Amino acid sequence: MGRISDVDVQRVREATDLVSLISERIVLKPKGRLFWGLCPFHGEKTPSFKVDPGTQLWHCFGCGKGGDAFGFVIESDKVDFPDAVRLLADRANIDIVEESGGAPRGRKERLFAACEEAANYYHKTLTSSRDAGPKTARDYLSKRGFGSEVAKGWRLGYAPGRGVLVRHLTEQGFSADEMVDANLALRTDGGQLRDRFYERIMFPIVDLQGRYIAFGGRVVEKGEPKYLNTNDTPVFRKSANMYGIDRAKASITSTGDAIVVEGYTDVIALHEEGITNAVATLGTALTQQHLKLLGRFARRIIYLFDGDEAGMRAADRAAEFVDVYSTEAHREHRLELNAAVVPDGQDPADFVKARGKQGLVELVGEAVPLLRFSIDRRLARWDLERPEERARALKEAAEVLAPVKDSLLADDYANYIASRLFADFATVRRAISSTRPQPARAEVPEEGGQAETPKRVVQHTPRTRAELELLSLLVAEARLRGRARKLLAMGLLSSAEHQAMAEVLSEAGEAAGASEINGALEKRVPGAIEELAGARFGESSAEADALADGLTRRLKEFELERRIAVGKAALDQGAPATDAMDYNAVFREVSTLQRTLDALRRGEDVPDQELEARN
């Protein structure tokens, strides 16, 4: 998908009224200038969820989450920023154009529609046709335990090929380019269209919003490849989508667990047995983008590997995600990654058919941490009774831990490896420390897509909290924005980020609306609006002047205290006779600053110029 222009993002921001948007999800009650409700993101009985129509920001004082309209959709719908913009654009009936080669919004809607029409046609062919191909497909599904109700529930289908889908879609008004772009048809050397899928059972793939985006096709009898999947298209990327995620996301959220399997039939079999938190990759190995998608809903991921040779190869590849998701350094995105192998060479569908839901639950319960799993896989290749093979085993196990060699995990597993290899801890730890990790695969955004900006982690002090409260007040109260220039002149803002926010407010002036300012703030200082959303100030506009005066006074006190501390530190270092004049000048400065601070604390007015002159 393409990049959404800043102009279109701002158009969507300005067209979205935050109170109206959030009122569609929860009950909001006005209290002064603010609206309050029960937070939709954590359980609570007393409203702590604030919506400020003046700033167009929301914040929960219970769980600490907050932001603007985009942030609310990201949090509630579990989507990324570009999709939040698209959803709000649809809500506001705004057409957006995606740059850098991405298909225009209207174009994508046509591809969604083409995929949905294809799914309907394939399903009708499977369930209604008396031809030999569909009948064979029904017999195969029935043997797997998937009768007509399952086929209906999962919208399973059959692709006969021979150009019948191309003819059907043409009759429905879809163009040749649309069929090719959706990867439903291919062009021959002569320029004619032919069906992409033929003589295959069809598994439609649906995105988080319930839109048909792609297909997986399984050959019914003999043929290669066994599975054929839709290629990447403007509306589908196999490395970033998962089969069944639309059905599983609620269960994953409620349980905190996501079970990842390798096949479409595995997902269906597990769901039909009541294990509704299962999803599958789409003909690819598990990727970081898959884990990022699941991380929106899950706290723990259990990768359930088939017991055959292909499953074991996939198990060996899984260790590459340890460095990204297992260490304290990545705690904001941290997931607990576990793994288990289906016994006796079975796949999960066969296993759950033989052992039922309880058997699968027990198997998942026996899953071990991915690090332990990967280490055990490598140690199992060698005869640990032989010294030379123990040395090779140590080398391979150290490679697993190399990405986390500076963490406590490495120490824990060094003890484990030492016990398995009859070696001492120091030897194993040296082997791990000296092993260079393999370069991590780059997190590649969708072609032309917008990469997410990492969040800044900020620990606020009483001073920075006061600064944010005042800056947030200036966003809400246009007539007070002239104060931003004074804050900068007096040096009352302690960080470069807060100074940049004040510059945006100063440049915007009184004419700019809150949505326009929020867009400018986020562009200049990523994460700014989420910080501003958490600021507390009065619920009445009538209080704004007095509140702004009080916050400015507090910031003056903080700044004076800082300058006094700096001066005293210089005096404490002592001064030789040659520096006596400088020492005396610093002493007089500190004394003057202290008198000014005392006057402020007594409630006296201190002219702004007194701070500006010494800034």
Side-chain angles (χ1 to χ4, degrees), residues 278-575:
V279 295
T281 55
L282 303 171
T284 68
L286 194 69
T287 68
Q288 289 185 15
Q289 288 173 299
H290 289 141
L291 294 183
K292 183 178 177 182
L293 172 64
L294 292 174
R296 300 178 189 176
F297 311 98
R299 296 183 299 276
R300 183 172 73 136
I301 293 175
I302 302 96
Y303 203 157
L304 203 55
F305 296 106
D306 290 1
D308 58 15
E309 183 179 347
M312 292 301 91
R313 288 197 299 270
D316 289 336
R317 290 194 299 268
E320 68 183 273
F321 303 113
V322 167
D323 61 325
V324 179
Y325 292 95
S326 297
T327 68
E328 276 300 308
H330 298 90
R331 59 186 177 273
E332 186 175 340
H333 304 288
R334 191 176 181 185
L335 291 169
E336 183 182 338
L337 303 182
N338 291 342
V341 176
V342 181
D344 304 324
Q346 293 181 306
D347 62 25
D350 291 333
F351 181 85
V352 78
K353 184 178 180 180
R355 300 278 298 275
K357 179 179 179 179
Q358 186 57 37
L360 198 285
V361 169
E362 291 173 0
L363 177 62
V364 168
E366 295 169 359
V368 298
L370 182 57
L371 266 174
R372 164 87 176 267
F373 179 86
S374 299
I375 290 168
D376 287 344
R377 288 277 303 155
R378 282 153 179 76
L379 296 182
R381 297 171 183 165
W382 306 98
D383 181 356
L384 302 184
E385 298 295 326
R386 301 178 59 189
E388 62 273 18
E389 296 209 17
R390 286 204 300 272
R392 293 170 184 159
L394 174 57
K395 181 177 182 297
E396 289 199 2
E399 289 173 353
V400 176
L401 289 171
V404 295
K405 62 183 178 182
D406 296 323
S407 71
L408 291 175
L409 278 172
D411 288 340
D412 291 341
Y413 280 105
N415 275 316
Y416 174 70
I417 294 170
S419 67
R420 292 287 309 275
L421 298 180
F422 314 108
D424 63 273
F425 172 83
T427 299
V428 175
R429 200 62 181 88
R430 281 196 301 272
I432 296 169
S433 298
S434 63
T435 301
R436 297 182 63 182
Q438 295 296 315
R441 289 191 302 171
E443 188 71 34
V444 180
E446 299 181 22
E447 184 176 352
Q450 290 165 301
E452 292 185 9
T453 303
K455 291 183 179 179
R456 293 186 299 119
V457 179
V458 181
Q459 296 294 326
H460 287 301
T461 64
R463 176 172 183 173
T464 57
R465 282 195 292 270
E467 292 172 14
L468 284 172
E469 288 178 15
L470 183 52
L471 290 169
S472 183
L473 182 62
L474 301 189
V475 174
E477 299 290 340
R479 60 188 175 78
L480 299 180
R481 289 177 192 154
R483 296 185 181 224
R485 196 172 296 106
K486 292 184 178 181
L487 295 177
L488 292 167
M490 289 184 284
L492 298 187
L493 301 174
S494 58
S495 71
E497 289 83 3
H498 290 181
Q499 292 163 15
M501 293 181 199
E503 288 171 1
V504 170
L505 288 165
S506 178
E507 293 164 5
E510 295 186 21
S515 295
E516 180 182 346
I517 288 179
N518 287 339
L521 284 169
E522 191 65 18
K523 187 175 182 180
R524 182 83 67 88
V525 185
I529 57 178
E530 187 171 347
E531 287 191 65
L532 291 171
R536 291 178 181 266
F537 54 85
E539 297 175 344
S540 169
S541 294
E543 303 170 348
D545 289 281
L547 184 58
D549 289 341
L551 287 169
T552 302
R553 178 178 291 272
R554 286 182 63 195
L555 294 183
K556 287 180 179 179
E557 291 181 10
F558 283 127
E559 179 58 17
L560 286 167
E561 289 169 352
R562 184 192 69 81
R563 296 182 193 179
I564 290 169
V566 170
K568 286 183 175 179
L571 294 174
D572 289 344
Q573 292 176 3

Side-chain angles (χ1 to χ4, degrees), residues 71-134:
F72 183 79
V73 174
I74 289 168
E75 191 65 38
S76 59
D77 291 2
K78 305 298 182 183
V79 298
D80 57 14
F81 178 78
D83 276 340
V85 177
R86 295 179 186 112
L87 289 170
L88 289 177
D90 287 343
R91 179 179 179 274
N93 295 316
I94 292 176
D95 291 326
I96 56 177
V97 177
E98 304 195 21
E99 302 168 346
S100 303
R105 185 67 177 162
R107 179 73 163 174
K108 288 177 184 171
E109 295 296 348
R110 291 290 294 169
L111 301 187
F112 292 137
C115 289
E116 183 171 4
E117 185 60 37
N120 292 337
Y121 184 80
Y122 289 146
H123 180 65
K124 183 177 180 181
T125 301
L126 175 70
T127 56
S128 303
S129 175
R130 297 183 179 181
D131 292 344

